Amino acid sequence: MTVIQPYSGGRQTTPRTVGRNYQSVIVMLIVSLFLVGAMGSRLAYLQLVQGERNRQLAENNRIRLVPKQPVRGNIFDRKGKVLASSRLSHSVFLWPVALKKDEWPQTRQRLSQLLDLPEDEIQKRVERAGFDSPSLIRIERGLSPAQITALQEYSHQLDGIEVDIEAVRDYPNGDVGAHVLGYTGELNDQELGQRRAEGYRMGDVAGKMGVEEAFEPTLRGEWGGQQVEVDGAGRVLRILGEKEAKSGKDLQITLDLKTQKAAEAALGNQKGAIVALDPRNGAVLAMVSRPTFDPNIFSSRITPDMWKQLQGKGNPFVNRAMRGFPPASTFKVVTQTAGMESGKFGPGTVLPTFAALNVGGTSFGEWNRAGFGPLGYQQAMAWSSNTFHGQIGKGVGGPTLIKWARNYGFGQPTGIELSEEAAGLIADDTWKRERFNWEWTVGDTVNMSIGQGFTQATPLQVAVMFAVPANGGYRVKPHLHKDNEALSNWRVSMEMKPSTIETLRKGLRAVVDGGTGQVLNVPHLPPVAGKSGTAEAPPGKPHAWFGAFAPFDKPEIVVVAFAEHSGGGGGSVAAPMVKQVLEAYFDAKSPDEAKEK
């Protein structure tokens, strides 16, 4: 009997080979189970642990936040002429979540080349926003036509980069009123950190100086924007939500553009300042400082070379109208007030004058080196006698002179809205002991009486001082916000005797009528009153001052001109500047100008 064996494929089955045919199947099964388990664990991790994050990333790749910066409010002068507005400009924006990380270095390098912007600055901006940010972030403002064209040409290499139009600040008069208006600029990291609680965000532009800074809450407006769905190519599929940006409010200030331009022209390139204000309520009509700058440059990026060139002009961002300098003989208004109000030197006082006044071993010389003989208040003011006023200061004493200086507002901010204002300095015994460990002397008082020594006053403070005799004895608070508040809210009575005010006014008129300010005694201007000053300012040349008000009978404008280290006298250097401003204000033309017309 023949037994048929099962076919074994040519292999013999022995006790040693039983089950080996299933080993490979078992191994494959185990590996498959391991892989499926690993994949399942990974899926579970992605869905359960990181599910929310991954969904957010996917959503960010589909949803874009397009912020809309508000249009800043306009600034107008007192007659409605535009001082600051907005214009449209091209900016380049970057969408971080759309960036391909492996291509980012190439994109960053290309942007750097096209925009002439350092790569590290671009990198910092992206890192600040975060690579997964769905919001557009601004990389550069004020693109030139050449830059716009170049970005379009290389758009295929610039995923996540867009060029759009936005409103930027525009100052149609260039550098006119620059120190008053200030400028705007994008907040840096430190500023942004300090102002996040106020609702500021990355890329925000804010006022950095002057009116722009002082009235930031009024001018700023509120952000708006859109939430849009986009496809893989970045095309907008639909708008999911929208909030209209709210424009900032317009602001009218007290500056008079015509007077401001006249003051700018009068100062020219002379380092210094000119201030004009209404003595009745303190409204600032003009404020000029030199050197200056054009605030329009801040509507685009400032390169290091541009910044170096600006600083080379000599601190152009310092508003010299609100910085302290020795007021020289303009301060004699305070000295005469102290003399009469103290009761020690009445309005009828006559004092001898000398070539020099010797006090405590120090000689205080008369500017003409000879003296003027016996003088009363009016003649002493007209000829600016140092020895006359030195005797008044010595007679009333330091505390009384200091008291009246502070009553006039010296040594303290005037209260104008601008943050750049300095307080100036009215020193006293305590101040001197703290700094020099030495007591106040009679010589210090005499020095103060002629506006020298430690005394520092700003041109704005000097203008406030001249407003007192101009308006009949009130100290005004200079301001830039134009409104219709009552005069009582802008000024306070100095409680001076009528005879003191009358004597001061007559003396200031005598300065122009026959003293050191005769350049202003011209028929085409209404009667002017004023005072010159020439301040010693070692190691440089002397400073020149002149302050004036007009019309004498019913003053409506005070003008103070200050020429830093001009080297000339107040009557010869600063007074002609004041004259030029008054001619523009009163629309009065000199005979020579009339002939030219």
Side-chain angles (χ1 to χ4, degrees), residues 260-292:
Q260 179 73 28
K261 287 182 175 180
E264 302 265 359
L267 190 56
N269 293 322
Q270 169 65 52
K271 183 181 288 188
I274 292 179
V275 175
L277 55 78
D278 186 333
R280 297 166 293 188
N281 63 4
V284 177
L285 304 175
M287 183 183 288
V288 182
S289 178
R290 288 286 188 275
T292 189

Side-chain angles (χ1 to χ4, degrees), residues 209-224:
M209 177 183 170
V211 168
E212 294 280 22
E213 179 188 38
F215 296 94
E216 170 70 12
T218 300
L219 296 167
R220 177 190 176 197
E222 296 180 9
W223 276 81

Side-chain angles (χ1 to χ4, degrees), residues 130-209:
F131 278 93
D132 58 351
S133 173
S135 297
L136 290 172
I137 61 172
R138 186 192 303 108
I139 295 296
E140 181 65 296
R141 297 191 300 163
L143 299 182
S144 67
Q147 288 175 319
I148 296 170
T149 301
L151 287 167
Q152 290 173 343
E153 290 178 354
Y154 288 95
S155 60
H156 61 285
Q157 299 179 15
L158 299 172
D159 287 338
I161 306 299
E162 295 183 9
V163 175
D164 203 352
I165 295 175
E166 66 174 347
V168 299
R169 209 54 164 160
D170 180 60
Y171 302 89
N173 301 295
D175 62 4
V176 174
H179 290 89
V180 176
L181 298 175
Y183 63 93
T184 63
E186 187 171 330
L187 297 176
N188 59 36
D189 289 347
Q190 181 180 357
E191 293 167 335
L192 184 61
Q194 295 170 345
R195 306 184 75 167
R196 279 194 189 276
E198 302 173 46
Y200 287 86
R201 62 185 75 185
M202 183 177 173
D204 237 333
V205 172
K208 296 289 190 80
M209 177 183 170

Side-chain angles (χ1 to χ4, degrees), residues 260-505:
Q260 179 73 28
K261 287 182 175 180
E264 302 265 359
L267 190 56
N269 293 322
Q270 169 65 52
K271 183 181 288 188
I274 292 179
V275 175
L277 55 78
D278 186 333
R280 297 166 293 188
N281 63 4
V284 177
L285 304 175
M287 183 183 288
V288 182
S289 178
R290 288 286 188 275
T292 189
F293 63 96
D294 185 347
N296 284 301
I297 63 176
F298 293 96
S299 294
S300 57
R301 180 172 55 92
I302 302 294
T303 65
D305 288 342
M306 292 171 63
W307 186 255
K308 184 177 180 180
Q309 185 177 1
L310 276 171
Q311 293 297 333
K313 293 182 177 181
N315 298 320
F317 300 104
V318 173
N319 188 345
R320 284 170 166 77
M322 299 192 298
R323 286 292 180 271
F325 303 92
S329 292
T330 62
F331 191 83
K332 289 170 182 175
V333 171
V334 176
T335 304
Q336 289 201 4
T337 301
M340 287 181 277
E341 289 296 307
S342 70
K344 295 183 177 181
F345 299 91
T349 296
V350 174
L351 297 174
T353 60
F354 315 95
L357 185 65
N358 296 309
V359 178
T362 301
S363 180
F364 296 89
E366 191 64 81
W367 65 267
N368 71 349
R369 301 181 181 181
F372 299 95
L375 295 178
Y377 276 113
Q378 292 180 39
Q379 296 83 6
M381 186 74 84
W383 293 110
S384 196
S385 170
N386 289 335
T387 57
F388 177 94
H389 292 93
Q391 291 176 80
I392 297 290
K394 178 183 176 182
V396 300
T400 297
L401 186 60
I402 291 167
K403 169 195 167 185
W404 277 100
R406 291 175 176 162
N407 285 350
Y408 269 96
F410 292 110
Q412 57 194 293
T414 65
I416 194 171
E417 299 94 332
L418 306 184
S419 64
E420 301 87 14
E421 183 179 21
L425 175 64
I426 294 297
D428 55 19
D429 183 71
T430 301
W431 179 90
K432 189 178 178 185
R433 288 179 185 275
E434 288 177 350
R435 283 158 181 78
F436 301 104
N437 194 28
W438 194 258
E439 65 181 359
W440 187 266
T441 66
V442 177
D444 292 325
T445 301
V446 173
N447 229 359
M448 178 182 282
S449 70
I450 58 175
Q452 294 283 174
F454 303 117
T455 306
Q456 299 280 307
T458 71
L460 182 61
Q461 290 172 335
V462 174
V464 170
M465 178 196 73
F466 276 107
V468 174
N471 64 32
Y474 295 89
R475 191 178 90 191
V476 296
K477 179 180 178 180
H479 60 279
L480 287 159
H481 193 186
K482 188 177 185 302
D483 54 34
N484 295 315
E485 288 187 343
L487 292 179
S488 59
N489 294 329
W490 294 113
R491 64 189 200 178
V492 60
S493 174
M494 295 272 286
E495 298 183 355
M496 293 161 57
K497 301 171 186 174
S499 58
T500 300
I501 298 169
E502 183 182 4
T503 303
L504 288 174
R505 286 174 55 82

Side-chain angles (χ1 to χ4, degrees), residues 229-293:
E229 183 179 3
V230 297
D231 61 16
R235 292 186 292 266
V236 176
L237 299 177
R238 61 191 176 112
I239 297 175
L240 303 176
E242 184 172 10
K243 177 188 176 184
E244 289 290 333
K246 185 178 180 181
S247 299
K249 295 180 181 178
D250 292 341
L251 177 71
Q252 188 170 24
I253 63 174
T254 60
L255 282 192
D256 178 71
L257 184 57
K258 178 182 176 182
T259 305
Q260 179 73 28
K261 287 182 175 180
E264 302 265 359
L267 190 56
N269 293 322
Q270 169 65 52
K271 183 181 288 188
I274 292 179
V275 175
L277 55 78
D278 186 333
R280 297 166 293 188
N281 63 4
V284 177
L285 304 175
M287 183 183 288
V288 182
S289 178
R290 288 286 188 275
T292 189
F293 63 96

Side-chain angles (χ1 to χ4, degrees), residues 91-146:
S91 298
V92 59
F93 295 87
L94 184 148
W95 191 26
V97 77
L99 297 173
K100 297 177 181 178
K101 290 192 176 181
D102 58 334
E103 297 178 1
W104 169 235
Q106 179 183 346
T107 301
R108 184 182 61 211
Q109 184 181 25
R110 180 64 68 188
L111 269 180
S112 175
Q113 294 170 347
L114 297 178
L115 301 176
D116 191 24
L117 189 67
E119 281 192 57
D120 60 343
E121 286 191 28
I122 300 174
Q123 181 70 21
K124 286 178 183 178
R125 281 187 171 270
V126 178
E127 290 176 351
R128 283 168 61 194
F131 278 93
D132 58 351
S133 173
S135 297
L136 290 172
I137 61 172
R138 186 192 303 108
I139 295 296
E140 181 65 296
R141 297 191 300 163
L143 299 182
S144 67

